[in-house]
Amino acid sequence: MRAQSSATAATPIAVDAPAQPGAGTLQAALGVVAFSLTFPATAWGLEGFGPWSLVAVRSVLAAVLAGGCLLALRVPPPARRHWPGLAVVAAGVVLGFPLLTTLALETSTTAHAAVVVGLLPLTTALLSALRFGIRPSRTFWAAALAGAAAVVAFTVQQSGGALTTADGYLFGALLVCAAGYTEGGRLARVMPGWQVIGWALVLCLPLTVPVAALALAHEPVRLGVHSVAGLLWVAAGSQFLGLVVWYRGMAAVGIPKASQLQLAQPLLTLVWSVLLLGEHLTAAAPVTAVAVLVCIAVTQRARG
């Protein structure tokens, strides 16, 4: 990857985002696969860490990884005008979404938490339309709404149709993550996507390091294969590497279209939940999978 140009430059920063929309779609899809493992990995992590410890330590580890890359490549700090956007990414993606979903997963199943991911593509598209004046076509919106409805219906049915106290955390996570994705997708057009999440992680270090120290001192820690593997994945896979390819994909194909690829994320999460957590799926899974794939195909072809 090319390093970002001087932070004081007035011209847009050179970006190494893929030129072909197909390559951008592939990278966004790889990000979705990485994100689909987040909830099962978080459930594993909670077997050995408290919620505050898990969130703070994952952020610190991801920041160390990102900071090491930034130092090794001698990337200069972003221009001052980019820091407000990075703060939104940090608040939504680095802190808000991991913390709120981890608190929710203490009392909620991964299937129920997948409702958030099912609504995230539509929420991201809505926020991007309001924030940047993007106007996708009616076909796009119809397919997006249909896909979101299918995912929500399936995941709610999986959880028995009952709302829990975790729903407040989940809907809060939905809003802050959509805001972080929207700003991150915008910044990924003027700097490499890995630098967007990298600087956001580094920006949080003055907060996450002391919180991690306090949380580890007050919450019990029981190290095991599951807890360590879950922590490492949410730190390296979900918090850094997944967001690198995700933001690159959004920069290439646009925020609304990339966000619709996440319609497949709840179903992938449910598959991982069966394989890794032993949860059971209903017969509605293949029907919903087909419906979601159709909606994704329509949104990717729709013209704004």
Side-chain angles (χ1 to χ4, degrees):
M1 295 183 181
R2 292 188 305 229
Q4 176 186 343
S5 61
S6 173
T8 59
T11 56
I13 299 170
V15 181
D16 59 352
Q20 296 297 323
T25 300
L26 176 60
Q27 291 190 82
L30 289 174
V32 170
V33 174
F35 300 153
S36 70
L37 278 161
T38 300
F39 286 171
T42 299
W44 271 9
L46 286 172
E47 293 180 13
F49 297 91
W52 291 91
S53 299
L54 182 61
V55 172
V57 172
R58 71 180 268 185
S59 296
V60 171
L61 292 178
V64 170
L65 177 61
C69 293
L70 292 168
L71 287 175
L73 296 175
R74 298 181 179 179
V75 178
R80 183 179 300 178
R81 65 183 182 276
H82 297 317
W83 284 106
L86 288 170
V88 174
V89 175
V93 177
V94 177
L95 299 176
F97 187 80
L99 176 60
L100 292 171
T101 53
T102 299
L103 291 173
L105 285 172
E106 284 196 294
T107 57
S108 173
T109 65
T110 56
H112 189 80
V115 173
V116 173
V117 181
L119 291 174
L120 187 55
L122 181 58
T123 306
T124 303
L126 285 171
L127 287 184
S128 67
L130 294 173
R131 175 71 172 83
F132 307 120
I134 299 172
R135 295 293 181 268
S137 65
R138 292 182 179 179
T139 301
F140 176 95
W141 287 118
L145 287 169
V151 170
V152 169
F154 176 65
T155 50
V156 169
Q157 187 273 335
Q158 282 290 105
S159 64
L163 297 179
T164 69
T165 54
D167 288 323
Y169 290 136
L170 295 174
F171 285 114
L174 169 69
L175 293 176
V176 298
C177 189
Y181 280 173
T182 300
E183 284 299 309
R186 179 185 67 82
L187 289 170
R189 291 183 175 274
V190 295
M191 68 175 71
W194 74 274
Q195 292 182 25
V196 174
I197 185 58
W199 285 115
L201 286 163
V202 171
L203 181 63
C204 291
L205 275 175
L207 176 63
T208 55
V209 169
V211 170
L214 288 172
L216 289 172
H218 290 84
E219 291 181 336
V221 176
R222 297 179 298 276
L223 297 182
V225 175
H226 280 185
S227 60
V228 173
L231 171 62
L232 292 178
W233 179 259
V234 293
S238 302
Q239 194 81 73
F240 183 60
L241 298 177
L243 285 167
V244 167
V245 292
W246 173 244
Y247 282 139
R248 282 171 57 86
M250 282 200 294
V253 302
I255 297 172
K257 286 189 177 182
S259 69
Q260 299 314 302
L261 290 173
Q262 282 195 306
L263 287 168
Q265 186 174 327
L267 301 180
L268 289 173
T269 297
L270 290 170
V271 171
W272 296 124
S273 298
V274 171
L275 296 177
L276 301 177
L277 304 177
E279 295 186 5
H280 299 283
L281 301 182
T282 67
V287 175
T288 308
V290 172
V292 168
L293 290 176
V294 170
C295 292
I296 291 174
V298 173
T299 59
Q300 295 305 299
R301 292 179 177 274
R303 299 295 181 181

